[in-house]
Amino acid sequence: MISSNGSSKLLSGENGTPTSRPPSSARASPPSRPWFALPAPLKHLFSLFPLRTLPSSQLPARTAHHRDQHVLYIFTDPTTSNRNAPSFNPTCLKWQTYLNLLGLDFRTAASTNHASPTGTLPFLIPSSRTNLQDEVVGQTAVVPSNKLQKWARDKGIIREEPDTMRYEAYMSLLDHRIRRAWLYTLYLVPKHFYSVAAPLYIEPSTRSSPVRFVLSRSLQVAALAELLTTSSTISPDALIAEADEAFQALSILLRDDDWFFAAEEPGLFDASVFAYTYLLLDGMKWEEGILKEKLQEYGNLVEHKDRIARRFYGSDAQARAGRE
């Protein structure tokens, strides 16, 4: 700056040596600098981006062991999965039973949601002889559960389901009323969670007590969150009562028929009902079964369960029930 007597005041230059400021008309404008300068090592690192995009992760190598046969990955006991024993998970058992009733030649393999390419079970790996355009993960075709029905239709083996509001209304009983009671009973009743859920979902995955605790909490929190999406409070009595009403409605719908909607052969709805009735009555060891007791009051639903178990699972279903 200029002093009051007009002389130039010495300033320190960028290199630390004294210099005098020239008149403003002769000064060159200093180069503009950003307010933040990235350190040179980081600048070099980021200059390497974007990195090469890698292809999707391959499925585990063991998935290729049975490429001559369709493989359905489900929650199941690894020691019995090769015998197509019923899954202990309702969603998995629903689709396992559906593929069985379609007459599809497949085997099951034990898996978890974390190992699934789609993040959920079940999923199907078609045999290498399949020429359909399936969703590809890595180099292996994967059919997630929400596309299994379409996949079967493309193979020409699907059985037509009733496309009516009545059908959807009854399916909602399973997807909502019965499912909510199932979630509460299995995950939020402590004696059921530690005697049934934990041995099936938690203990086989790790021996670490801290990890088991975290996994247990995550399952219970997820179940609680789902229940709270439809109500701000959870009433166990109300959940059981709603499930009982659903069982009654299903019993009235079935009447004396072998299959729902008076069909000549079982369909997806039959598989959906069986997924809950089998697990409540035979497939799991319940310490105390108020939901099971309610279901046992409807004889035709019990007979429907037995009919599917004998036809599609045979000794595997009976062996599991006997062990439990």
Side-chain angles (χ1 to χ4, degrees):
M1 64 181 182
I2 306 299
S3 65
S4 58
N5 60 7
S7 63
S8 297
K9 183 174 181 180
L10 295 177
L11 299 174
S12 175
E14 288 187 6
N15 61 0
T17 60
T19 183
S20 63
R21 174 178 289 180
S24 59
S25 60
R27 287 201 307 265
S29 300
S32 60
R33 298 181 62 189
W35 66 273
F36 172 76
L38 193 67
L42 288 179
K43 184 176 181 180
H44 174 70
L45 175 64
F46 283 107
S47 70
L48 302 177
F49 287 87
L51 297 176
R52 181 169 63 92
T53 302
L54 297 176
S56 301
S57 299
Q58 296 286 339
L59 291 167
R62 64 179 180 271
T63 60
H65 291 176
H66 297 272
R67 296 296 289 133
D68 60 337
Q69 189 178 23
H70 305 305
V71 182
L72 183 69
Y73 288 82
I74 59 175
F75 287 109
T76 190
D77 181 351
T79 64
T80 62
S81 60
N82 288 342
R83 301 203 307 271
N84 195 31
S87 171
F88 52 76
N89 176 272
T91 302
C92 290
L93 183 55
K94 166 185 172 178
W95 291 108
Q96 180 186 6
T97 303
Y98 179 66
L99 295 183
N100 270 321
L101 63 87
L102 290 180
L104 188 72
D105 180 22
F106 73 100
R107 62 179 295 273
T108 61
S111 188
T112 66
N113 285 334
H114 298 292
S116 169
T118 59
T120 58
L121 293 180
F123 66 93
L124 181 76
I125 303 294
S127 74
S128 57
R129 294 172 297 180
T130 301
N131 295 319
L132 300 177
Q133 295 297 316
D134 300 317
E135 179 180 344
V136 174
V137 176
Q139 298 300 317
T140 305
V142 174
V143 185
S145 60
N146 63 350
K147 295 183 179 180
L148 279 172
Q149 199 169 15
K150 179 180 182 301
W151 180 83
R153 182 182 293 111
D154 292 340
K155 289 181 66 64
I157 58 174
I158 194 170
R159 291 177 183 166
E160 294 298 329
E161 301 290 328
D163 186 17
T164 63
M165 292 183 62
R166 180 167 174 259
Y167 177 89
E168 295 299 328
Y170 279 105
M171 186 65 82
S172 71
L173 295 178
L174 295 164
D175 295 339
H176 298 286
R177 291 194 173 198
I178 294 177
R179 175 174 171 80
R180 287 199 298 265
W182 169 269
L183 290 175
Y184 170 78
T185 301
L186 182 60
Y187 296 108
L188 300 183
V189 177
K191 57 187 174 183
H192 292 158
F193 181 81
Y194 292 108
S195 66
V196 180
L200 294 174
Y201 290 99
I202 305 298
E203 294 174 9
S205 62
T206 179
R207 295 182 180 181
S208 168
S209 296
V211 175
R212 284 183 175 182
F213 174 79
V214 172
L215 292 177
S216 297
R217 288 292 298 163
S218 66
L219 281 179
Q220 293 174 317
V221 168
L224 180 62
E226 182 171 341
L227 290 175
L228 290 176
T229 59
T230 56
S231 176
S232 59
T233 59
I234 297 175
S235 169
D237 291 341
L239 290 173
I240 298 301
E242 289 177 356
D244 185 31
E245 291 174 358
F247 290 144
Q248 183 180 32
L250 292 173
S251 177
I252 293 173
L253 174 66
L254 181 59
R255 299 178 301 182
D256 295 327
D257 296 326
D258 286 345
W259 313 116
F260 282 97
F261 300 101
E264 294 184 1
E265 292 292 335
L268 181 60
F269 191 87
D270 295 273
S272 302
V273 174
F274 174 78
Y276 284 105
T277 56
Y278 172 75
L279 293 178
L280 285 170
L281 295 173
D282 295 337
M284 295 175 130
K285 181 180 180 180
W286 300 99
E287 291 262 336
E288 169 186 313
I290 184 170
L291 199 57
K292 176 179 180 179
E293 292 172 2
K294 294 291 185 182
L295 177 57
Q296 286 174 325
E297 296 176 5
Y298 304 100
N300 59 346
L301 295 183
V302 176
E303 292 170 1
H304 176 268
K305 178 268 303 177
D306 291 338
R307 198 173 296 120
I308 291 181
R310 286 194 303 267
R311 180 168 177 176
F312 300 112
Y313 296 102
S315 59
D316 279 331
Q318 298 302 320
R320 175 177 286 272
R323 288 196 309 271
E324 301 296 353

Short mmCIF file of all heavy atoms in Angstrom, two decimals, residues 195-240:
data_model
loop_
_atom_site.label_atom_id
_atom_site.label_comp_id
_atom_site.label_asym_id
_atom_site.label_seq_id
_atom_site.Cartn_x
_atom_site.Cartn_y
_atom_site.Cartn_z
N SER A 195 -35.98 -71.08 20.60
CA SER A 195 -36.09 -72.53 20.41
C SER A 195 -36.34 -72.92 18.96
O SER A 195 -36.05 -74.07 18.57
CB SER A 195 -37.23 -73.09 21.28
OG SER A 195 -38.49 -72.62 20.84
N VAL A 196 -36.84 -72.01 18.14
CA VAL A 196 -37.18 -72.34 16.75
C VAL A 196 -36.36 -71.51 15.76
O VAL A 196 -35.62 -72.05 14.94
CB VAL A 196 -38.69 -72.14 16.49
CG1 VAL A 196 -39.02 -72.49 15.04
CG2 VAL A 196 -39.52 -72.99 17.44
N ALA A 197 -36.49 -70.19 15.81
CA ALA A 197 -35.85 -69.33 14.81
C ALA A 197 -34.33 -69.36 14.90
O ALA A 197 -33.64 -69.52 13.89
CB ALA A 197 -36.37 -67.90 14.94
N ALA A 198 -33.82 -69.17 16.12
CA ALA A 198 -32.35 -69.09 16.28
C ALA A 198 -31.64 -70.36 15.80
O ALA A 198 -30.64 -70.27 15.08
CB ALA A 198 -32.00 -68.77 17.72
N PRO A 199 -32.09 -71.55 16.17
CA PRO A 199 -31.40 -72.76 15.68
C PRO A 199 -31.43 -72.91 14.16
O PRO A 199 -30.55 -73.55 13.59
CB PRO A 199 -32.16 -73.90 16.36
CG PRO A 199 -32.76 -73.29 17.59
CD PRO A 199 -33.13 -71.90 17.18
N LEU A 200 -32.44 -72.32 13.52
CA LEU A 200 -32.57 -72.47 12.08
C LEU A 200 -31.84 -71.38 11.30
O LEU A 200 -31.18 -71.64 10.29
CB LEU A 200 -34.05 -72.47 11.67
CG LEU A 200 -34.89 -73.66 12.17
CD1 LEU A 200 -36.35 -73.45 11.83
CD2 LEU A 200 -34.38 -74.96 11.56
N TYR A 201 -31.97 -70.14 11.76
CA TYR A 201 -31.45 -69.00 11.00
C TYR A 201 -30.12 -68.45 11.54
O TYR A 201 -29.35 -67.88 10.77
CB TYR A 201 -32.47 -67.86 11.00
CG TYR A 201 -33.71 -68.13 10.18
CD1 TYR A 201 -34.89 -68.56 10.80
CD2 TYR A 201 -33.71 -67.96 8.80
CE1 TYR A 201 -36.04 -68.80 10.05
CE2 TYR A 201 -34.85 -68.20 8.05
CZ TYR A 201 -36.01 -68.61 8.68
OH TYR A 201 -37.15 -68.87 7.94
N ILE A 202 -29.88 -68.56 12.84
CA ILE A 202 -28.73 -67.89 13.45
C ILE A 202 -27.58 -68.86 13.72
O ILE A 202 -26.45 -68.66 13.26
CB ILE A 202 -29.14 -67.19 14.76
CG1 ILE A 202 -30.31 -66.23 14.52
CG2 ILE A 202 -27.94 -66.46 15.36
CD1 ILE A 202 -30.00 -65.11 13.57
N GLU A 203 -27.84 -69.90 14.46
CA GLU A 203 -26.76 -70.78 14.94
C GLU A 203 -25.97 -71.46 13.83
O GLU A 203 -24.75 -71.61 13.97
CB GLU A 203 -27.35 -71.80 15.92
CG GLU A 203 -27.88 -71.15 17.20
CD GLU A 203 -28.60 -72.13 18.10
OE1 GLU A 203 -28.55 -73.36 17.81
OE2 GLU A 203 -29.23 -71.68 19.08
N PRO A 204 -26.59 -71.87 12.71
CA PRO A 204 -25.78 -72.50 11.67
C PRO A 204 -24.81 -71.55 10.98
O PRO A 204 -23.84 -71.99 10.36
CB PRO A 204 -26.83 -73.01 10.67
CG PRO A 204 -28.10 -73.09 11.45
CD PRO A 204 -28.03 -71.96 12.42
N SER A 205 -25.04 -70.24 11.07
CA SER A 205 -24.23 -69.28 10.33
C SER A 205 -22.96 -68.86 11.04
O SER A 205 -22.01 -68.42 10.40
CB SER A 205 -25.07 -68.03 10.01
OG SER A 205 -25.48 -67.39 11.20
N THR A 206 -22.91 -68.97 12.37
CA THR A 206 -21.73 -68.53 13.11
C THR A 206 -21.72 -69.14 14.51
O THR A 206 -22.77 -69.45 15.06
CB THR A 206 -21.70 -66.99 13.22
OG1 THR A 206 -20.54 -66.59 13.97
CG2 THR A 206 -22.95 -66.46 13.92
N ARG A 207 -20.49 -69.26 15.05
CA ARG A 207 -20.35 -69.70 16.44
C ARG A 207 -20.04 -68.54 17.37
O ARG A 207 -19.94 -68.72 18.58
CB ARG A 207 -19.24 -70.74 16.54
CG ARG A 207 -19.54 -72.04 15.79
CD ARG A 207 -18.40 -73.05 15.97
NE ARG A 207 -18.67 -74.30 15.27
CZ ARG A 207 -17.86 -75.34 15.27
NH1 ARG A 207 -16.69 -75.26 15.94
NH2 ARG A 207 -18.16 -76.43 14.62
N SER A 208 -19.89 -67.36 16.81
CA SER A 208 -19.54 -66.18 17.60
C SER A 208 -20.77 -65.65 18.34
O SER A 208 -21.78 -65.30 17.70
CB SER A 208 -18.97 -65.09 16.69
OG SER A 208 -18.87 -63.86 17.37
N SER A 209 -20.68 -65.58 19.65
CA SER A 209 -21.82 -65.08 20.44
C SER A 209 -22.17 -63.64 20.10
O SER A 209 -23.36 -63.31 19.95
CB SER A 209 -21.52 -65.23 21.94
OG SER A 209 -21.38 -66.58 22.29
N PRO A 210 -21.19 -62.73 19.96
CA PRO A 210 -21.54 -61.35 19.58
C PRO A 210 -22.22 -61.27 18.22
O PRO A 210 -23.17 -60.51 18.04
CB PRO A 210 -20.18 -60.63 19.58
CG PRO A 210 -19.33 -61.43 20.50
CD PRO A 210 -19.76 -62.84 20.31
N VAL A 211 -21.72 -62.06 17.27
CA VAL A 211 -22.34 -62.04 15.94
C VAL A 211 -23.75 -62.61 16.01
O VAL A 211 -24.68 -62.10 15.37
CB VAL A 211 -21.48 -62.81 14.93
CG1 VAL A 211 -22.19 -62.90 13.58
CG2 VAL A 211 -20.13 -62.14 14.77
N ARG A 212 -23.93 -63.67 16.77
CA ARG A 212 -25.27 -64.24 16.92
C ARG A 212 -26.23 -63.23 17.55
O ARG A 212 -27.39 -63.14 17.14
CB ARG A 212 -25.20 -65.50 17.80
CG ARG A 212 -24.64 -66.72 17.08
CD ARG A 212 -24.67 -67.95 17.98
NE ARG A 212 -24.24 -69.15 17.26
CZ ARG A 212 -24.20 -70.36 17.80
NH1 ARG A 212 -24.54 -70.54 19.07
NH2 ARG A 212 -23.79 -71.40 17.07
N PHE A 213 -25.73 -62.47 18.50
CA PHE A 213 -26.57 -61.45 19.13
C PHE A 213 -27.00 -60.40 18.12
O PHE A 213 -28.18 -60.03 18.05
CB PHE A 213 -25.81 -60.79 20.28
CG PHE A 213 -26.55 -59.63 20.91
CD1 PHE A 213 -27.58 -59.85 21.81
CD2 PHE A 213 -26.22 -58.33 20.58
CE1 PHE A 213 -28.28 -58.78 22.37
CE2 PHE A 213 -26.90 -57.26 21.14
CZ PHE A 213 -27.94 -57.49 22.04
N VAL A 214 -26.05 -59.94 17.31
CA VAL A 214 -26.36 -58.92 16.30
C VAL A 214 -27.35 -59.45 15.27
O VAL A 214 -28.32 -58.77 14.90
CB VAL A 214 -25.07 -58.43 15.62
CG1 VAL A 214 -25.40 -57.52 14.44
CG2 VAL A 214 -24.19 -57.69 16.62
N LEU A 215 -27.12 -60.67 14.81
CA LEU A 215 -28.03 -61.26 13.83
C LEU A 215 -29.43 -61.45 14.41
O LEU A 215 -30.43 -61.23 13.73
CB LEU A 215 -27.47 -62.60 13.34
CG LEU A 215 -26.19 -62.55 12.50
CD1 LEU A 215 -25.73 -63.96 12.17
CD2 LEU A 215 -26.40 -61.74 11.23
N SER A 216 -29.48 -61.87 15.66
CA SER A 216 -30.78 -62.06 16.31
C SER A 216 -31.53 -60.75 16.39
O SER A 216 -32.73 -60.67 16.08
CB SER A 216 -30.59 -62.65 17.71
OG SER A 216 -30.00 -63.93 17.65
N ARG A 217 -30.82 -59.72 16.81
CA ARG A 217 -31.46 -58.41 16.93
C ARG A 217 -31.94 -57.91 15.57
O ARG A 217 -33.02 -57.34 15.46
CB ARG A 217 -30.48 -57.40 17.53
CG ARG A 217 -30.22 -57.63 19.01
CD ARG A 217 -31.46 -57.33 19.83
NE ARG A 217 -31.88 -55.93 19.71
CZ ARG A 217 -33.07 -55.48 20.05
NH1 ARG A 217 -33.98 -56.31 20.51
NH2 ARG A 217 -33.36 -54.19 19.93
N SER A 218 -31.16 -58.14 14.53
CA SER A 218 -31.55 -57.65 13.21
C SER A 218 -32.81 -58.35 12.71
O SER A 218 -33.69 -57.72 12.11
CB SER A 218 -30.40 -57.85 12.21
OG SER A 218 -30.14 -59.22 11.99
N LEU A 219 -32.92 -59.66 12.98
CA LEU A 219 -34.13 -60.38 12.59
C LEU A 219 -35.35 -59.87 13.34
O LEU A 219 -36.42 -59.65 12.76
CB LEU A 219 -33.95 -61.88 12.84
CG LEU A 219 -33.14 -62.68 11.82
CD1 LEU A 219 -33.06 -64.13 12.25
CD2 LEU A 219 -33.74 -62.57 10.43
N GLN A 220 -35.19 -59.67 14.64
CA GLN A 220 -36.32 -59.22 15.45
C GLN A 220 -36.73 -57.79 15.11
O GLN A 220 -37.92 -57.47 15.04
CB GLN A 220 -35.95 -59.34 16.93
CG GLN A 220 -35.80 -60.78 17.40
CD GLN A 220 -35.28 -60.90 18.82
OE1 GLN A 220 -34.36 -60.19 19.21
NE2 GLN A 220 -35.87 -61.80 19.59
N VAL A 221 -35.74 -56.94 14.86
CA VAL A 221 -36.05 -55.56 14.49
C VAL A 221 -36.76 -55.51 13.13
O VAL A 221 -37.70 -54.74 12.94
CB VAL A 221 -34.76 -54.70 14.46
CG1 VAL A 221 -35.01 -53.35 13.79
CG2 VAL A 221 -34.24 -54.50 15.87
N ALA A 222 -36.32 -56.34 12.19
CA ALA A 222 -36.96 -56.37 10.88
C ALA A 222 -38.41 -56.84 10.98
O ALA A 222 -39.30 -56.29 10.33
CB ALA A 222 -36.18 -57.28 9.94
N ALA A 223 -38.65 -57.86 11.81
CA ALA A 223 -40.02 -58.34 12.00
C ALA A 223 -40.88 -57.28 12.65
O ALA A 223 -42.03 -57.04 12.25
CB ALA A 223 -40.01 -59.61 12.85
N LEU A 224 -40.33 -56.62 13.66
CA LEU A 224 -41.07 -55.56 14.34
C LEU A 224 -41.39 -54.42 13.39
O LEU A 224 -42.52 -53.90 13.38
CB LEU A 224 -40.26 -55.04 15.53
CG LEU A 224 -40.89 -53.92 16.37
CD1 LEU A 224 -42.18 -54.41 17.01
CD2 LEU A 224 -39.90 -53.45 17.44
N ALA A 225 -40.43 -54.03 12.57
CA ALA A 225 -40.64 -52.93 11.63
C ALA A 225 -41.74 -53.26 10.64
O ALA A 225 -42.57 -52.41 10.29
CB ALA A 225 -39.33 -52.62 10.91
N GLU A 226 -41.76 -54.51 10.16
CA GLU A 226 -42.80 -54.89 9.20
C GLU A 226 -44.18 -54.86 9.85
O GLU A 226 -45.16 -54.41 9.25
CB GLU A 226 -42.52 -56.27 8.63
CG GLU A 226 -43.54 -56.70 7.60
CD GLU A 226 -43.17 -57.96 6.86
OE1 GLU A 226 -41.97 -58.32 6.86
OE2 GLU A 226 -44.06 -58.58 6.25
N LEU A 227 -44.26 -55.32 11.09
CA LEU A 227 -45.56 -55.29 11.78
C LEU A 227 -46.03 -53.86 12.02
O LEU A 227 -47.23 -53.58 11.95
CB LEU A 227 -45.44 -56.03 13.12
CG LEU A 227 -45.29 -57.56 13.02
CD1 LEU A 227 -45.05 -58.15 14.40
CD2 LEU A 227 -46.51 -58.20 12.38
N LEU A 228 -45.10 -52.96 12.28
CA LEU A 228 -45.47 -51.57 12.57
C LEU A 228 -45.83 -50.78 11.32
O LEU A 228 -46.27 -49.63 11.43
CB LEU A 228 -44.33 -50.88 13.32
CG LEU A 228 -44.10 -51.36 14.76
CD1 LEU A 228 -42.89 -50.68 15.37
CD2 LEU A 228 -45.35 -51.11 15.63
N THR A 229 -45.64 -51.36 10.14
CA THR A 229 -46.04 -50.66 8.93
C THR A 229 -47.55 -50.62 8.76
O THR A 229 -48.07 -49.78 8.01
CB THR A 229 -45.43 -51.32 7.68
OG1 THR A 229 -45.86 -52.69 7.61
CG2 THR A 229 -43.91 -51.25 7.72
N THR A 230 -48.26 -51.52 9.43
CA THR A 230 -49.72 -51.56 9.30
C THR A 230 -50.44 -51.09 10.55
O THR A 230 -51.65 -50.90 10.53
CB THR A 230 -50.17 -53.00 8.99
OG1 THR A 230 -49.69 -53.89 10.00
CG2 THR A 230 -49.64 -53.44 7.63
N SER A 231 -49.71 -50.91 11.65
CA SER A 231 -50.33 -50.46 12.89
C SER A 231 -49.27 -49.84 13.79
O SER A 231 -48.11 -50.29 13.79
CB SER A 231 -51.00 -51.64 13.62
OG SER A 231 -51.52 -51.23 14.87
N SER A 232 -49.66 -48.80 14.52
CA SER A 232 -48.71 -48.14 15.41
C SER A 232 -48.48 -48.92 16.69
O SER A 232 -47.54 -48.65 17.44
CB SER A 232 -49.21 -46.73 15.75
OG SER A 232 -50.49 -46.80 16.38
N THR A 233 -49.34 -49.89 16.95
CA THR A 233 -49.18 -50.75 18.14
C THR A 233 -49.32 -52.21 17.71
O THR A 233 -49.91 -52.52 16.67
CB THR A 233 -50.23 -50.44 19.21
OG1 THR A 233 -51.54 -50.64 18.66
CG2 THR A 233 -50.09 -49.00 19.69
N ILE A 234 -48.78 -53.08 18.53
CA ILE A 234 -48.86 -54.52 18.25
C ILE A 234 -49.64 -55.20 19.36
O ILE A 234 -49.23 -55.17 20.52
CB ILE A 234 -47.45 -55.13 18.14
CG1 ILE A 234 -46.70 -54.51 16.95
CG2 ILE A 234 -47.54 -56.65 17.96
CD1 ILE A 234 -45.27 -54.98 16.84
N SER A 235 -50.75 -55.79 18.99
CA SER A 235 -51.58 -56.52 19.94
C SER A 235 -51.50 -58.00 19.60
O SER A 235 -52.05 -58.43 18.58
CB SER A 235 -53.03 -56.05 19.88
OG SER A 235 -53.87 -56.92 20.62
N PRO A 236 -50.83 -58.81 20.43
CA PRO A 236 -50.74 -60.25 20.14
C PRO A 236 -52.11 -60.90 19.99
O PRO A 236 -52.31 -61.72 19.08
CB PRO A 236 -49.99 -60.79 21.36
CG PRO A 236 -49.18 -59.62 21.85
CD PRO A 236 -50.04 -58.43 21.62
N ASP A 237 -53.05 -60.54 20.86
CA ASP A 237 -54.38 -61.14 20.77
C ASP A 237 -55.05 -60.80 19.45
O ASP A 237 -55.71 -61.66 18.84
CB ASP A 237 -55.25 -60.65 21.94
CG ASP A 237 -54.79 -61.20 23.28
OD1 ASP A 237 -54.06 -62.21 23.29
OD2 ASP A 237 -55.14 -60.60 24.32
N ALA A 238 -54.87 -59.56 19.00
CA ALA A 238 -55.49 -59.15 17.74
C ALA A 238 -54.85 -59.88 16.56
O ALA A 238 -55.54 -60.29 15.61
CB ALA A 238 -55.36 -57.64 17.56
N LEU A 239 -53.53 -60.04 16.60
CA LEU A 239 -52.84 -60.74 15.51
C LEU A 239 -53.31 -62.19 15.40
O LEU A 239 -53.56 -62.69 14.30
CB LEU A 239 -51.33 -60.70 15.74
CG LEU A 239 -50.65 -59.33 15.57
CD1 LEU A 239 -49.19 -59.42 16.00
CD2 LEU A 239 -50.74 -58.86 14.12
N ILE A 240 -53.42 -62.87 16.53
CA ILE A 240 -53.87 -64.26 16.53
C ILE A 240 -55.33 -64.35 16.07
O ILE A 240 -55.70 -65.25 15.31
CB ILE A 240 -53.71 -64.90 17.92
CG1 ILE A 240 -52.24 -64.91 18.33
CG2 ILE A 240 -54.27 -66.31 17.93
CD1 ILE A 240 -51.31 -65.65 17.39
#
